[in-house]
Amino acid sequence: MPTYKAPVDDTLFLINDVFHIDRYGNLPGFADASPDVIEAVLREAAKLSEEVLTPLNRVGDKEGCTRAADGSVKTPTGFKDAYRQIVEGGWVGISAPEEFGGQGLPATMTVMVNEFLCSANMAFAMYPGLTQGAIAALLMHASPELKKKYLPKMVAGEWTGTMNLTEPHCGTDLGLLRAKAVKQADGSYKISGTKIFISAGEHDLAENIIHLVLARIEGAPAGTKGISLFVVPKIMVGDDGSLGARNGVSCGSLEEKMGIHGNATCVMNYDGAVGWLIGEENRGLAAMFTMMNEARLGVGVQGLAQSEVAYQNAAIYAKERLQGRAITGVKYPDKAADPIIVHPDVRRTLMSIRAFNEAARALVMWTALKEDVSHRSEDEKERMSADDHMGLLTPVIKGVLTDLGFANAVSAQQLFGGHGYIAEHGMEQFVRDARIAQIYEGANGVQAMDLVGRKLGKDGGRALMAFFNEVQTYLKERADSDAMNVYLKPLGQSLAHLQEASMWFMQNAMGKPDNAGAGATDYMHLFGLVALGYMWCRIAEAAIEKLPKANGSAPRYSAKLVTARFFMERMLPETATRLARIKAGAASTMELPEEAF
Amino acid sequence: MPTYKAPVDDTLFLINDVFHIDRYGNLPGFADASPDVIEAVLREAAKLSEEVLTPLNRVGDKEGCTRAADGSVKTPTGFKDAYRQIVEGGWVGISAPEEFGGQGLPATMTVMVNEFLCSANMAFAMYPGLTQGAIAALLMHASPELKKKYLPKMVAGEWTGTMNLTEPHCGTDLGLLRAKAVKQADGSYKISGTKIFISAGEHDLAENIIHLVLARIEGAPAGTKGISLFVVPKIMVGDDGSLGARNGVSCGSLEEKMGIHGNATCVMNYDGAVGWLIGEENRGLAAMFTMMNEARLGVGVQGLAQSEVAYQNAAIYAKERLQGRAITGVKYPDKAADPIIVHPDVRRTLMSIRAFNEAARALVMWTALKEDVSHRSEDEKERMSADDHMGLLTPVIKGVLTDLGFANAVSAQQLFGGHGYIAEHGMEQFVRDARIAQIYEGANGVQAMDLVGRKLGKDGGRALMAFFNEVQTYLKERADSDAMNVYLKPLGQSLAHLQEASMWFMQNAMGKPDNAGAGATDYMHLFGLVALGYMWCRIAEAAIEKLPKANGSAPRYSAKLVTARFFMERMLPETATRLARIKAGAASTMELPEEAF
């Protein structure tokens, strides 16, 4: 049975000592987020994750969700009770506006808490997580009436939310979307069509489900410019907030899938369901995309979360499992064999995962803080620069953290040998669950194209230049630091690779966009490595600062320095290969005729 | 529903035009393997794989095996019928000695056929595959009486075989093994103990199951030097070959696992079961290891096989699925969208997989031919050099082909987007099935240590030097070929990386073996890339030779050249990163105290 211990101390170190949240005190909500409050919230979230959600992870995988003939869906044993605790703790709305019953705390805190929930039970955490996404969309685009009607119950977690984009023939290419909306005399719309892969589309955790649905209003233009966004409640809501009749939306079937069995992945049938327009007609995609950065950041966190929990269990196993002897000589003569952690290849695996986890957590936090700035700062320039950061880093975080999160879950499973392939240890579930994060919310190839095709050149490359400038300035200002040199030098080299790759695109992909497409995934990973490397420099610097008066915590900071070195020596060198691939261009990739495949 | 088309033409091209099987005519059995016979056998195996086994792959995954209260195990619907066709076709024994009812054809042909069977249905193919492994062990080590008693039925496929090594506390480290054998007056032994993860341990496909079991004879030394190998039939066999009473061995339970559900993974309880010694007392591990190279080669083939079938289905999907438009402009204006194969990132994925598959198939075949030479040649030097090759390349093939086979199954699944996560398309099953090949028959970390710790230095590095010498000679002899230059140059560079890494181990790992352990996995993959690169050169050379008079087949040979270039430009550059990691040494990998994990 897998276990989980939320990395509260590491999270506090990052937020306090690396990113100095106290410097954001001027932003609304941040004054309330004192170190004490943050720690208390994190410890409470840790408790919920460790004690309530972790034990339900295997249960959820084994039982899955079941659909009755009437279309109702039952979640696994224990999910209902656990969800009640989510509602009682007010976890859905910790960062939502107080006006709608939220606590108004920084969005960064929701991101930190969500990592814990996702590590403990990813399939479960999707129910509140999707609700947070739907809340964000309503907050940004819905009319005051719709907000008033839906948000308080959603912020409280009493109602959950969903996103309905995909149709059988249309995933990435939403321009092909067919779901129809017909305007009614009262200003509402009747929505008809089939949506697939709808997470949390139907379940028994909440008394109502608020669907956000993309559909095409009768007579709207074809393609992406004729798509509108609607709110469609499962059960009609009266003006007084009372629940009325069932709406014309139902779960047609549940998908049988590789993982996240505890979450109901539904085919949703809309049959003249009553809905209300969110934002403007035909501007549904834009409305959807303004919340995409946060949703994708959340999926990146899922990658990190599975990597973290898989690491923890692999580390425990590696210290317990006795097998073979250290090649440098017996380490535990009193035991029948040494624990496998003595073997360098096992260590290499564990170090690789933790070197990712700790920097990925920093990268997520750095970016979540930018999200807060972009929403809460009163300084337009600050908001713009934070927006730039979000736009640029979001595809990197989504793509790289889920690719590596999955790869790490696989590596952690590998340390268990045959026992990792068996369901009872839970390691193979982490792999199956982590896999979806590479796919949904825009498959990772789409993230790479978003980065290379859209984000690099946006506003004359402003966001990219700002990123380069920040890292370069950081390197330059510390160039004389002997203590930092071992981290700075490799980062400088990899930054140069990233700059060279960016330049190569400028020179070779404008006229031949296939050169950008063929190099996009490698560029995304090259970018990710540089961003993670930068995080390691900042972590190392903070650790060096803390060490002299760390006393009992000294081993924790020393470990940061060793892990930073491991990252620089073992993981960052990959940037050279990524650059070589990019510079190979698209020729051999595109040359074969289609029928050759 | 996934499909499969066996790569008969590619296999024939490799065996005839790249490896020139006609040059092996002096080896026993090879004279019978005329081009016509090979083609007929492959086409028959293709038919069986495509028409019978492929449709059962999903069935097997869905139904799995079920154990009744009496310990009997039922295989999935259709497996029994399909297995009957394996027996009728004589597929188990095509390479087995005619003396025992086999056809005596080259072992290479069994390897080729097994790729097809594994692509079509890996879980199913393990039943005959494990029988072939048990046959090999009996052939090499059993007494004439035992051979006579068991081999004819096993070669015919009427009885199946298993390997019983693992116990709950003992996997890689077989020295910890506890199963006991007590000698009886009649020369037989009574075997007691529990074995786990026993593939095909119990089932309803054959009337008898012949277990090969490692156990410790009463009073034998502790550790690996006190282990003996026994043959233990499920049902006792009389001297006249008649089946008698049940032996004291039974399936205690079936493991619930990530994949290969169609194969019964059993906990086997031995309770005073009657067994007979194979080979010498206390020499069981040695007996087991002499057949290990072939078994590991077979697992490498499983990696290739899953990569191949996943590729085929992804290629079909990429040509059918309409989504988005080519970045270079609309390609199919009459369709609602372009097929996703127009997108460079999709192409990159497909090219990466096929560039692996085609070279991996060559690498397997090259090594299988060495297996034949090592067993069948009358020239001692030839046998020795073939043995050297097998020893050196086997861990590379097992580790690299299964690591990349799995990664490729994941990439192929990715092209399906959300549809790849859903069971019905079968892509996620390829991923789950492929995963086991990285783990069993020696986890890949163990392969890497076998390569670096055992094989590199063996006999003064004779095998390694021979490999270097072959590739270097190849490069030198073609140095003036303009047509080959584009392939030779990158290979030369990567070979230099491999040589540098080998040298680095010599200089830095003798005194500090952790430096070898920490670099072992990277070295294995570096070696694999060079070996695959060498295969691409040989393939390209054969394609260049064939092209002028290829007529209708010209596109096939041209495609080889494009794919070879892709491999050189996009995949081989990884050797630089692997080398950098190796040369980083073990310091940061080993520095943290155990409690830091």
Side-chain angles (χ1 to χ4, degrees), chain B residues 23 86 112 171 204 259 269 274 281 314 339 370 420 443 465 531-532 543 558 576:
Chain B
R23 295 182 192 160
I86 290 283
M112 297 189 281
D204 56 0
N269 296 323
V274 183
E281 280 191 12
K370 299 280 186 184
M465 289 309 128
L532 293 170
S558 303

Side-chain angles (χ1 to χ4, degrees), chain A residues 207-476:
Chain A
E207 56 179 358
N208 204 1
I209 302 174
I210 311 306
H211 303 291
L212 300 196
V213 185
L214 288 182
R216 205 179 285 284
I217 298 173
E218 253 189 333
T224 54
K225 288 178 180 152
I227 298 172
S228 304
L229 180 62
F230 299 90
V231 58
V232 182
K234 169 182 167 183
I235 297 171
M236 303 296 283
V237 181
D239 288 334
D240 58 350
S242 63
L243 293 180
R246 266 301 288 263
N247 201 352
V249 49
S250 62
C251 167
S253 64
L254 291 179
E255 301 286 4
E256 190 196 329
K257 58 197 192 293
M258 187 180 190
I260 50 166
H261 293 154
N263 200 278
T265 305
C266 303
V267 174
M268 297 301 294
N269 296 324
Y270 291 85
D271 188 12
V274 183
W276 288 268
L277 187 67
I278 303 177
E280 295 173 47
E281 279 190 11
N282 302 333
R283 300 274 300 148
L285 266 198
M288 204 54 122
F289 274 108
T290 54
M291 52 150 300
M292 208 55 113
N293 282 338
E294 284 135 85
R296 289 178 173 176
L297 183 64
V299 176
V301 170
Q302 293 180 330
L304 160 61
Q306 295 306 293
S307 180
E308 172 67 33
V309 68
Y311 167 83
Q312 289 188 15
N313 284 279
I316 292 169
Y317 189 78
K319 288 189 276 188
E320 283 175 0
R321 172 76 171 174
L322 306 177
Q323 206 80 180
R325 291 295 189 183
I327 38 176
T328 49
V330 177
K331 289 278 187 297
Y332 292 83
D334 51 323
K335 292 184 175 171
D338 287 339
I340 61 172
I341 197 169
V342 304
H343 305 310
D345 193 60
V346 170
R347 285 262 185 167
R348 176 193 61 81
T349 304
L350 291 173
M351 288 299 294
S352 301
I353 308 178
R354 74 185 279 162
F356 165 82
N357 290 349
E358 297 174 15
R361 184 170 297 120
L363 185 58
V364 161
M365 198 177 293
W366 184 36
T367 304
L369 284 165
K370 300 281 184 182
E371 181 189 332
D372 273 319
V373 172
S374 86
H375 289 156
R376 302 186 185 201
S377 173
E378 299 194 343
D379 180 325
E380 198 191 321
K381 239 180 113 180
E382 241 181 41
R383 283 205 309 274
M384 186 187 79
S385 123
D387 257 342
D388 281 356
H389 174 104
M390 287 280 288
L392 185 67
L393 269 295
T394 296
V396 174
I397 288 176
K398 197 285 183 180
V400 175
L401 269 55
T402 61
D403 274 359
L404 295 184
F406 172 74
N408 289 342
V410 171
S411 298
Q413 177 194 23
Q414 186 73 15
L415 293 192
F416 282 69
H419 299 275
Y421 200 68
I422 301 302
E424 75 178 281
H425 288 278
M427 298 304 290
E428 59 94 35
Q429 184 189 347
F430 297 140
V431 172
R432 288 183 291 102
D433 287 355
R435 184 70 185 89
I436 189 60
Q438 300 173 280
I439 297 172
Y440 61 20
E441 209 61 43
N444 287 355
V446 175
Q447 302 299 326
M449 276 312 290
D450 176 48
L451 174 67
V452 167
R454 213 170 296 148
K455 302 297 174 58
L456 287 195
K458 205 176 163 226
D459 304 312
R462 193 177 65 206
L464 184 69
M465 290 309 129
F467 177 82
F468 286 165
N469 191 45
E470 167 158 357
V471 181
Q472 265 170 327
T473 306
Y474 181 91
L475 291 173
K476 205 183 292 171

Side-chain angles (χ1 to χ4, degrees), chain A residues 42-53:
Chain A
L42 291 183
R43 297 230 179 267
E44 205 52 47
K47 202 171 158 225
L48 175 68
S49 301
E50 294 162 4
E51 295 173 13
V52 179
L53 302 186

Side-chain angles (χ1 to χ4, degrees), chain B residues 392 450-462 464 510:
Chain B
L392 185 68
D450 176 48
L451 175 66
V452 167
R454 212 169 298 149
K455 302 297 175 60
L456 287 195
K458 206 177 162 226
D459 306 311
R462 193 177 64 204
L464 184 69
M510 302 288 196

Side-chain angles (χ1 to χ4, degrees), chain A residues 518-570:
Chain A
T521 289
D522 283 302
Y523 186 87
M524 178 179 79
H525 279 280
L526 169 49
F527 204 124
L529 285 163
V530 170
L532 293 169
Y534 177 46
M535 291 299 100
W536 267 121
C537 285
R538 296 194 51 178
I539 292 168
E541 190 176 19
I544 289 169
E545 250 168 67
K546 298 288 281 185
L547 254 176
K549 22 186 184 157
N551 300 324
S553 312
R556 209 148 64 74
Y557 299 119
S558 303
K560 289 287 186 198
L561 299 183
V562 175
T563 312
R565 245 175 57 226
F566 180 91
F567 183 87
M568 299 299 165
E569 292 173 356
R570 291 254 165 188

